[in-house]
Amino acid sequence: FWDFLILFFCLPVVIFNEITKKRLLGDLSCRILPFMEVSSLGVTTFSLCALGIDRFHAATSPQASARPIERCQSIVAKLAVIWVGSMTLAVPELLLWQLARDTSPVSGVVTEFCTMKPSSNLPESLYSLVLTYQNARMWWYFGCYFCLPILFTISCQLVTRRVSGPEKKSECRGSKHSQCERHLNCTIIGLTIIYGLCTTPENVCNIVVAYMSPDISKQTLDLLNLINQFFLFFKCSVTPVLLLCLCRSLGQAFMDCCCCCCQGCGPDSASSEGSADSKLKTEMSSSIFFDKPRESPPPLLALGTPC
């Protein structure tokens, strides 16, 4: 969902800025876009950490195959902690950026761009905190939003393999539960690889620019910033597709929802056939919970007869 927000709000603003050299929504976009992009990195980082912990608990539980399904309230609470924590860590981005204007000496066209410069109207204590964040921003990016999810995922996978051991793997190699666990582990590894590949250019550019900024022109910096943003958009586009392809249960549920929507928009005959099939499946699935076959329903009485 957060990837969808990035593509829906941030991508049009970036494209509009590149075409018209004007900032859509002005100073507000200079503050909101970095906030949403950094929050997206935080959501992905802490989600991968949470998934790694969940896989470790699944592998080390005494009755892994009989593990109860987690309640919806617990999942929503974890997501709320991840989202609130990510947005809280991204709050300094709202105070760090501001809109700036530059006039071209050749054409005289006024271009608008976002610059990383804290406002002087901030209180002194808050201004010093934002300035400290600006100085440590590069290494904070590299440590929290790049090293943490990759190292955490690798550590959880290695510890999980170590704890489960070869004997347990050989015992459960052919079971359905072990296949599901392997699919989930492959999903987490795939998400981590995509995240690492898409965030590596930005971290490399940040380190290079930090130590070679006097030798790099403004056009080159703008180009690098644009490339980094589109790597983020690429990550937000690929991650849901990869998740649906690797996680078979989620992909099947998504396809079922799409098929239901298509049948609902189709003709009445198709909808009636779909409803009949769904009714038949419901009856077959509900019959599983009964030890004896259900009795046939009583015949319908004719109209006008007493009950």
Side-chain angles (χ1 to χ4, degrees):
F1 182 72
W2 197 274
D3 291 336
F4 169 76
L5 292 180
I6 293 294
L7 295 175
F8 187 79
F9 289 105
C10 298
L11 183 59
V13 175
V14 173
I15 295 177
F16 180 84
N17 181 41
E18 290 301 316
I19 295 176
T20 63
K21 301 301 179 183
K22 300 289 184 182
R23 293 298 300 187
L24 191 65
L25 301 178
D27 185 69
L28 181 62
S29 66
C30 288
R31 301 177 185 272
I32 294 297
L33 259 68
F35 171 76
M36 294 186 64
E37 291 174 356
V38 175
S39 298
S40 173
L41 298 178
V43 168
T44 307
T45 295
F46 300 132
S47 297
L48 289 175
C49 294
L51 290 173
I53 296 174
D54 181 75
R55 291 296 89 213
F56 176 75
H57 286 167
T60 57
S61 59
Q63 296 179 352
S65 59
R67 190 183 180 199
I69 299 177
E70 190 173 3
R71 294 186 302 173
C72 182
Q73 292 84 351
S74 176
I75 298 176
V76 172
K78 292 179 181 179
L79 291 177
V81 170
I82 292 173
W83 279 39
V84 172
S86 302
M87 290 188 290
T88 302
L89 293 176
V91 166
E93 298 288 333
L94 296 172
L95 307 175
L96 184 61
W97 296 86
Q98 59 179 333
L99 183 66
R101 293 177 175 86
D102 188 17
T103 303
S104 176
V106 179
S107 59
V109 178
V110 178
T111 59
E112 296 179 348
F113 60 94
C114 298
T115 179
M116 191 185 300
K117 182 180 178 182
S119 176
S120 57
N121 298 326
L122 295 174
E124 185 177 355
S125 58
L126 189 59
Y127 180 82
S128 60
L129 289 176
V130 175
L131 199 62
T132 303
Y133 173 79
Q134 180 183 359
N135 296 330
R137 185 174 183 268
M138 177 189 65
W139 296 112
W140 170 254
Y141 252 66
F142 181 73
C144 182
Y145 298 133
F146 181 76
C147 295
L148 177 62
I150 294 177
L151 295 178
F152 199 92
T153 303
I154 294 175
S155 301
C156 286
Q157 292 294 325
L158 293 178
V159 172
T160 301
R161 292 176 182 271
R162 179 77 176 182
V163 170
S164 51
E167 297 180 357
K168 188 176 180 180
K169 288 182 180 180
S170 60
E171 293 176 359
C172 305
R173 187 176 297 274
S175 64
K176 184 178 180 181
H177 175 73
S178 62
Q179 295 178 0
C180 180
E181 291 296 323
R182 284 197 297 269
H183 284 310
L184 292 176
N185 289 331
C186 292
T187 302
I188 298 175
I189 294 174
L191 294 175
T192 305
I193 291 174
I194 291 295
Y195 179 76
L197 293 177
C198 293
T199 54
T200 297
E202 183 176 4
N203 288 277
V204 172
C205 290
N206 290 337
I207 296 175
V208 171
V209 169
Y211 292 101
M212 299 179 59
S213 57
D215 302 331
I216 301 177
S217 61
K218 184 180 180 300
Q219 290 78 11
T220 305
L221 292 176
D222 295 339
L223 180 60
L224 292 176
N225 186 29
L226 182 64
I227 293 174
N228 294 332
Q229 284 185 320
F230 274 98
F231 265 108
L232 177 63
F233 298 147
F234 177 77
K235 188 267 296 181
C236 294
S237 303
V238 173
T239 298
V241 178
L242 181 68
L243 188 62
L244 293 176
C245 292
L246 293 181
C247 189
R248 296 184 177 181
S249 58
L250 183 61
Q252 185 62 40
F254 181 77
M255 294 302 297
D256 292 342
C257 291
C258 293
C259 293
C260 291
C261 293
C262 293
Q263 290 178 359
C265 297
D268 295 337
S269 60
S271 62
S272 60
E273 291 177 0
S275 61
D277 292 341
S278 62
K279 183 177 180 181
L280 179 61
K281 291 179 180 179
T282 304
E283 292 179 354
M284 294 176 63
S285 62
S286 61
S287 63
I288 299 175
F289 300 98
F290 295 91
D291 296 332
K292 61 180 181 178
R294 292 178 296 177
E295 298 178 356
S296 59
L300 296 177
L301 297 178
L303 294 176
T305 56
C307 297

